[in-house]
Amino acid sequence: MATTVGNAEKAAFVRKLGANPFLYRERDFVTEAMAWTSGEGVDLAFDTVGGSIFPATFSAVRVYGDLVTLLQPSTEVDWSIARSRNLRISLELMLTPMHLGLPAALRHQGKILEHCAALAQAGKLRIHVADTLPLAQAAIAHQRIQKGTMTGKLVLVPEAE
């Protein structure tokens, strides 16, 4: 497993989790991924950055590989590399079932969360919590996340009634 990181501190953190870090501010992550996979490309890439990073990632994914993004690709994306590599592109938006009123999809997401809970209880899934804030400070939490300097998750705790 490999991941992109922005600094040495985050590189050390992901190494402890068992991932190979690509320091994208120092070296081209596509070149790093291709070297790491002996020129084949990664099986699966997960894009949480978007913008120009999304189409740049096409070249880092192996032929017939998968690329999942959480973000809306730009209408300006040149899909030719993805097409020539026969990539499977997945657009993931966790709120879709709720937004579209799809109860079967909500049950499916519930099963995914149950599976994650079981993995966490078995010690096979670890979540690094960077900080806990009261729900009333959600705007502050979003500001901290948008800075791009977080390592781990922020947890918002509802106020007791």
Side-chain angles (χ1 to χ4, degrees):
M1 175 174 38
T3 186
T4 55
V5 293
N7 60 47
E9 178 186 332
K10 289 184 180 184
F13 175 74
V14 300
R15 273 192 201 96
K16 288 180 187 175
L17 298 175
N20 183 50
F22 301 149
L23 287 143
Y24 69 87
R25 290 186 177 130
E26 295 177 17
R27 294 182 294 279
D28 177 60
F29 76 92
V30 174
T31 302
E32 294 288 303
M34 295 306 281
W36 184 66
T37 60
S38 302
E40 295 291 320
V42 298
D43 294 331
L44 168 69
F46 184 53
D47 169 46
T48 61
V49 177
S52 63
I53 297 300
F54 176 69
T57 305
F58 297 165
S59 296
V61 179
R62 71 172 171 79
V63 174
Y64 294 107
D66 295 281
L67 173 55
V68 178
T69 184
L70 297 180
L71 303 162
Q72 177 67 42
S74 165
T75 58
E76 305 298 315
V77 169
D78 177 358
W79 295 92
S80 59
I81 293 172
R83 177 66 188 110
S84 68
R85 296 178 77 77
N86 286 311
L87 301 185
R88 289 179 295 265
I89 307 292
S90 297
L91 308 171
E92 179 62 42
L93 181 61
M94 293 297 291
L95 297 177
T96 296
M98 189 177 357
H99 176 68
L100 297 178
L102 304 171
L106 284 171
R107 284 191 294 278
H108 175 71
Q109 285 184 337
K111 289 179 184 177
I112 292 171
L113 292 174
E114 288 172 6
H115 182 68
C116 290
L119 290 172
Q121 288 174 346
K124 295 179 180 179
L125 174 65
R126 294 177 291 167
I127 299 169
H128 176 74
V129 176
D131 202 358
T132 303
L133 298 172
L135 184 58
Q137 293 183 11
I140 293 169
H142 279 280
Q143 290 169 358
R144 288 178 61 187
I145 292 167
Q146 287 176 336
K147 282 184 181 177
T149 58
M150 293 292 308
T151 300
K153 300 295 180 188
L154 280 176
V155 176
L156 295 175
V157 180
E159 294 81 17
E161 293 182 33

